[in-house]
Amino acid sequence: MAQVNDPAVLEKLMRTKGRWAIVGLSTNQWRAAYDTSLFIRDRLGMEIIPVNLPADPVHGETGYAALADIPAEKRPIDVVDCFVNSRKVGAVVDQAIAVGAKAVWMQLGVIDEAAAARAKAAGLDVIMNACPAQDARRFGL
C-alpha cells in the first residue's frame, strides 16, 4: 500500500517545537536543503542539526557526519528530514529508527515505500514526497 501523508501528522510536525536533524544539509546555497532548513529554523521555530558526510557546520549550527554521531544532549531527535536520493534514503530511515527519532520526513521527490513501512512499523510518524516550506501554507504557518 502506498504511503499517504496524513494532514494531521503534517500539521503536528510543523507546529510542535522540536529538533530536526536535516540529513543532506550542506553549505551549498543552491541546494534545496539550504533554504528549507532556514525556513524550518526561522519560520517554524525548530532547532536544526545539520547532518552531512564532512560534518560541516551550516547556518552556525554544528554539523555531524551521521545521525549516530549526534550527542545525547541533542536528543531526542523529533524529526529526521531527508534530503537524500531515494536510493539512499532507506539507510537514513534505518538510522533514524536506530537513534530513536520520532518521525522521518522524506522531501519532495524522495520516495521509498519499504523504508516508510519500516519506520511506521517502528512507531515513527512518516511523511514522504513533501516539503514543509510548501505545506506550511496549508496550515497558516
Side-chain angles (χ1 to χ4, degrees), residues 24-37 83-85:
L25 174 56
S26 73
T27 57
N28 184 342
Q29 296 179 26
W30 298 103
R31 305 277 318 214
Y34 193 86
D35 287 334
T36 302
S37 61
F83 280 93
V84 297
N85 187 290

Side-chain angles (χ1 to χ4, degrees), residues 22-27 50-58 63-67 69 84 88 92 95:
I22 305 183
V23 179
L25 174 56
S26 73
T27 57
V51 179
N52 56 68
L53 289 178
D56 289 334
V58 184
Y64 300 92
L67 292 172
D69 296 339
V84 297
K88 297 179 180 180
V92 174
Q95 292 170 34

